[in-house]
Amino acid sequence: MSTRTTDLSDLFPRSTFDPDGPAPRIAVLGTGYLGATHAVAMAQLGMEVVGVDTDPNKVAMLTAGKVPFYEPGLPELLTEQLATGRLRFTTDVAEAVGWADVHFVCVGTPQSKTSHAADLRFVEAATTSIARHLTHDALIVGKSTVPVGTGARLRELVADAAPAGLRTELVWNPEFLREGKAVQDTLHPDRIVLGGTTPDSEALLRRVYAGPIAEGSPVVVCDLPTAELVKVSANAFLATKISFINAISGVCEAAGADVTVLADALGHDVRIGRQFLDAGLGFGGGCLPKDIRALMHRSNELGAHQASALLQQVDEINMGQRSRVIDLALEACGGSVLNRRVGVLGAAFKPHTDDVRDSPALNVAAALHLRGAQVTVYDPQAGDTARSSFPTLGYATSVDEAVEGADVVLVLTEWDEFVDAEPARLAGLTHQASVIDARGKLDAARWRGAGWSFRGLGRAAA
Ligand code: UDX
């Protein structure tokens, strides 16, 4: 790939919005989870791509073919795309912006430290920085998850910061990728939402996404606020579905019913569907919790209080699941975990990731530790990330080590390794063969048959 670091003059004739022009060059600002995956995927779709980040360590790692987080399939694809010469990474925003035609904003929007609002500093800084460094016409595409109304404000920032005489557009194209399935979700999206486009920018983005569109990914063209809201509404709906089944699991437990069987039966109804009906410890991670809180905050600001009240309940039910598991652990230890050994299987907020942001598993482990338990955590991937967030917990390097001498074993993340574990052998390692299945994935009859006292959320005690 040709890289230009000083002389950008030859780029000026480049017409970004020309439908017959050369293939658009892509800049991706922010190379975290979203940005790194997006940059690699754009290269895989055949475009020349530069990933930009202010963190030189991240840029150096990605340039060396190393992904700074665990995401199945991404390291292989990164190596492959670096080798094609279509993909590179830099900290030099001026050079990248001067080179590219389409600029994707993929920086984080964390929850503000002092409220439920999203912190938009990074999105504003990245967008302003693109605008300031533009040397030719450009399309700025927001992908980060933002509160509705953000795009309109960013358009004002772009208008103020961009050099006079250039044609710039800012549109929203939200990303719906799941951790653990990020590559698949980016290359084969369920839908492509284009918000606030003109016919020219829509045509340009249809060229960018020509691959997935040819495969059948539906394109939804809408206004800017609708596109912003689609993303947070999707996450709010998924969170609501999880809290719904968790609320019903409380009824199941009280009535002696089995929520896992109930969920299967519900799921056969095509209007409902089986996905996101796994009752258990509830949702966590870097997206669902912060996104529903930001939507609550924004709905209230807009006077749409009902949406906010609904999501408040969803959040309450979700957090309540953590207390239910803590209560079951206390019960299993005779009312107190003080000086009792607790084996915790799982630290990641879900399997196939090393992400422990707002992880329900670690939250429960830490709460039991604070009640005086000796907690030993094992996770196949998230041991290191968990240790850096909660250094005071004990960490094991295997299931056996975690359950050894335990008075109670908690399965808090449904890794296959735990679901497939051999209960008869593990029972022999514990002090007391008592297990709490907080994800509803263990075979209760098998564990009970191997001598375990078995408790699960939404499943009656034997
Ligand atoms: C989510 C959205 O799915 C994705 O579209 C968006 O772009 C980012 O947020 P992710 O955070 O990777 O993706 O996780 P997801 O697979 O949605 O799971 C979220 C949480 O819900 C996890 O903690 C998971 O354990 C929990 N969950 C999921 C349940 O408790 N029950 C279920 O049935 C499904």
Side-chain angles (χ1 to χ4, degrees):
M1 179 191 300
S2 62
T3 61
R4 299 168 179 82
T5 47
T6 48
D7 181 15
L8 299 172
S9 56
D10 57 328
L11 294 173
F12 284 88
R14 193 176 174 86
S15 178
T16 299
F17 294 98
D18 178 359
D20 303 317
R25 291 167 170 177
I26 309 291
V28 177
L29 276 87
T31 59
Y33 224 98
L34 166 58
T37 311
H38 190 65
V40 172
M42 291 297 100
Q44 164 79 11
L45 291 176
M47 280 158 289
E48 285 186 288
V49 182
V50 61
V52 191
D53 207 291
T54 50
D55 179 349
N57 293 327
K58 247 185 221 170
V59 167
M61 273 186 90
L62 288 162
T63 301
K66 296 198 178 77
V67 178
F69 45 86
Y70 173 75
E71 180 62 35
L74 191 56
E76 294 79 356
L77 209 58
L78 170 66
T79 307
E80 200 181 300
Q81 292 310 315
L82 286 169
T84 65
R86 284 196 296 270
L87 176 64
R88 64 192 171 98
F89 295 91
T90 182
T91 53
D92 187 345
V93 64
E95 183 269 323
V97 169
W99 173 84
D101 306 301
V102 180
H103 310 270
F104 285 100
V105 177
C106 294
V107 294
T109 49
Q111 188 179 321
S112 148
K113 292 212 167 24
T114 50
S115 79
H116 277 173
D119 181 348
L120 296 174
R121 274 177 302 168
F122 305 111
V123 169
E124 289 176 359
T127 309
T128 310
S129 168
I130 293 169
R132 201 175 288 144
H133 290 109
L134 288 175
T135 56
H136 56 287
D137 295 349
L139 176 61
I140 303 175
V141 186
K143 285 199 89 65
S144 308
T145 303
V146 291
V148 60
T150 303
R153 175 166 156 59
L154 293 176
R155 280 182 173 173
E156 289 170 12
L157 295 182
V158 171
D160 288 346
L166 296 185
R167 176 174 175 192
T168 56
E169 283 192 35
L170 182 138
V171 302
W172 222 261
N173 165 227
E175 180 57 59
F176 299 91
L177 63 81
R178 291 163 292 180
E179 293 187 16
K181 299 207 167 99
V183 173
Q184 155 84 12
D185 286 349
T186 309
L187 286 172
H188 312 285
D190 287 342
R191 73 296 219 183
I192 297 166
V193 176
L194 305 178
T197 47
T198 61
D200 284 350
S201 52
E202 182 191 331
L204 183 55
L205 283 172
R206 282 182 183 271
R207 277 166 69 203
V208 168
Y209 290 117
I213 291 171
E215 261 182 9
S217 288
V219 179
V220 179
V221 179
C222 56
D223 54 39
L224 203 49
T226 305
E228 291 165 331
L229 265 178
V230 171
K231 172 58 195 283
V232 284
S233 307
N235 278 354
F237 184 77
L238 294 173
T240 304
K241 215 173 163 190
I242 297 168
S243 282
F244 169 82
I245 199 67
N246 281 332
I248 296 295
S249 88
V251 184
C252 287
E253 222 169 287
D258 187 323
V259 75
T260 56
V261 180
L262 179 130
D264 288 343
L266 285 183
H268 288 303
D269 186 328
V270 290
R271 294 169 302 173
I272 298 175
R274 179 60 179 83
Q275 291 192 58
F276 280 74
L277 281 185
D278 285 333
L281 192 47
F283 59 81
C287 291
L288 257 51
K290 87 166 169 66
D291 289 353
I292 64 163
R293 289 174 192 156
L295 182 53
M296 265 185 239
H297 185 90
R298 189 71 184 123
S299 308
N300 271 335
E301 277 179 351
L302 294 166
H305 301 294
Q306 276 189 323
S308 180
L310 171 69
L311 295 173
Q312 176 78 29
Q313 273 305 307
V314 167
D315 206 358
E316 298 275 8
I317 292 167
N318 192 55
M319 298 308 277
Q321 294 301 96
R322 303 176 187 190
S323 305
R324 286 176 71 194
V325 173
I326 293 165
D327 289 345
L328 286 177
L330 292 168
E331 215 178 280
C333 292
S336 165
V337 288
L338 188 67
N339 288 328
R340 308 298 291 271
R341 284 186 57 87
V342 177
V344 166
L345 300 183
F349 81 99
K350 67 174 190 179
H352 312 297
T353 176
D354 64 355
D355 195 344
V356 296
R357 285 177 295 168
D358 201 351
S359 167
L362 267 187
N363 190 309
V364 167
L368 292 171
H369 171 73
L370 288 175
R371 283 172 167 80
Q374 294 162 25
V375 179
T376 306
V377 180
Y378 168 67
D379 188 288
Q381 286 297 337
D384 290 343
T385 47
R387 195 194 299 270
S388 54
S389 308
F390 284 93
T392 50
L393 300 175
Y395 289 93
T397 53
S398 67
V399 172
D400 286 13
E401 198 188 325
V403 306
E404 197 162 343
D407 295 292
V408 62
V409 173
L410 274 56
V411 178
L412 302 184
T413 313
E414 65 275 34
W415 287 99
D416 290 344
E417 189 179 342
F418 308 153
V419 178
D420 300 338
E422 180 42 63
R425 201 181 57 75
L426 291 184
L429 300 175
T430 62
H431 178 245
Q432 178 177 287
S434 173
V435 65
I436 296 167
D437 175 15
R439 290 292 180 182
K441 294 290 182 193
L442 302 189
D443 181 342
R446 195 161 149 253
W447 284 71
R448 284 189 176 120
W452 287 79
S453 156
F454 183 98
R455 290 299 304 272
L457 290 173
R459 296 152 105 181

